[in-house]
Amino acid sequence: EVQLVESGGGLVQSGRSLRLSCAASGFIFNEYAMFWVRQAPGKGLEWVSSINWNSGNRDYADSVKGRFTISRDNAKNSLYLQMNTLRTEDTALYYCAKGARGVISYYFDSWGQGTLVTVSS
Amino acid sequence: SYVLTQPPSVSVAPGQTARITCGGTNIGSKSVHWYQQKPGQAPVLVVYDDRDRPSGIPDRFSGSNSGNTATLTISRVEAGDEADYYCQVWDNTRAAWVFGGGTKLTVL
């Protein structure tokens, strides 16, 4: 059974940094692309970042580009999101998701329960 | 940037059919994926690649995609289907994954 467990969220002041982690199990981690998706309180889903199996390709939403860095440690079956220069609009529940390769693009076939990041002014 | 448009809400009586649309320019040329999110829970994939269902998803859930509209159809709606539903595509021009704004399905 696929399990994704996020951690590292919390309350932080605007301008500070936070590092999220996602511990993966139940699948061969180093064979899959991984993703971060966030959801602001009462709002919809927003893709944040993605990383391919060997970290050779990383993509970011325009809203976080230059401030967030995605990484992974395949030896530890772990995904990370380093978030710098946080803004109040980054307040959200951050989900880790496993990618599955579709006909044209990846989709997200398993999700964690999320970790809450609250950025105060 | 590529925009996906969903109706904010859809209401349907139990046993009836719910249709949730997702509009986008020439969306028929893309693969559309659909997620169900119940209150306080993580999203769950219900349809991928326009019309395929993951294991464990009832065949009451089906999808279609043509022209400028993709549709998630839920047949014989049950109270347990009440949730928010999101469509998603990959915008290859920006290497970004895009979600629709979500549709709240209410079972009357």
Side-chain angles (χ1 to χ4, degrees):
Chain A
E1 178 195 2
V2 173
Q3 281 203 325
L4 299 168
V5 180
E6 302 92 339
S7 61
L11 175 62
V12 63
Q13 281 190 319
S14 179
R16 304 297 289 266
S17 299
L18 210 56
R19 190 196 195 204
L20 306 185
S21 299
C22 171
S25 60
F27 64 103
I28 303 175
F29 182 72
N30 62 16
E31 293 185 353
Y32 292 90
M34 297 294 296
F35 298 80
W36 288 102
V37 177
R38 70 184 180 183
Q39 187 169 36
K43 302 296 184 183
L45 302 173
E46 178 189 16
W47 166 75
V48 173
S49 184
S50 60
I51 186 167
N52 74 333
W53 67 278
N54 67 353
S55 304
N57 191 42
R58 312 180 200 209
D59 291 302
Y60 300 92
D62 290 343
S63 57
V64 307
K65 201 170 294 183
R67 301 187 298 122
F68 289 12
T69 302
I70 191 172
S71 62
R72 65 190 296 162
D73 185 335
N74 287 342
K76 294 183 178 179
N77 289 348
S78 292
L79 175 72
Y80 306 102
L81 186 67
Q82 177 67 42
M83 304 186 295
N84 297 333
T85 319
L86 282 161
R87 304 168 179 168
T88 54
E89 55 264 38
D90 295 319
T91 294
L93 186 62
Y94 284 74
Y95 293 103
C96 162
K98 170 180 168 286
R101 189 182 292 275
V103 172
I104 295 178
S105 65
Y106 283 100
Y107 54 90
F108 311 150
D109 66 348
S110 295
W111 299 62
Q113 286 303 307
T115 186
L116 181 63
V117 173
T118 304
V119 183
S120 68
S121 56
Chain B
S1 62
Y2 194 80
V3 176
L4 295 174
T5 302
Q6 296 183 237
S9 62
V10 168
S11 299
V12 63
Q16 299 303 302
T17 297
R19 293 179 179 84
I20 298 172
T21 58
C22 176
T25 302
N26 197 25
I27 196 173
S29 67
K30 301 181 179 296
S31 281
V32 180
H33 318 299
W34 291 91
Y35 302 88
Q36 175 196 68
Q37 186 180 33
K38 295 181 179 179
Q41 298 185 20
V44 172
L45 179 73
V46 293
V47 167
Y48 65 96
D49 286 343
D50 297 340
R51 60 181 65 250
D52 292 332
R53 281 185 314 276
S55 60
I57 300 301
D59 61 4
R60 299 186 299 104
F61 289 81
S62 62
S64 63
N65 183 20
S66 179
N68 293 317
T69 305
T71 304
L72 174 69
T73 300
I74 309 172
S75 304
R76 304 181 300 282
V77 166
E78 304 172 356
D81 297 331
E82 194 162 274
D84 294 325
Y85 291 85
Y86 296 90
C87 58
Q88 178 222 343
V89 300
W90 181 58
D91 179 0
N92 60 301
T93 64
R94 295 190 305 127
W97 281 262
V98 179
F99 287 96
T103 297
K104 181 177 180 59
L105 176 66
T106 299
V107 181
L108 301 171

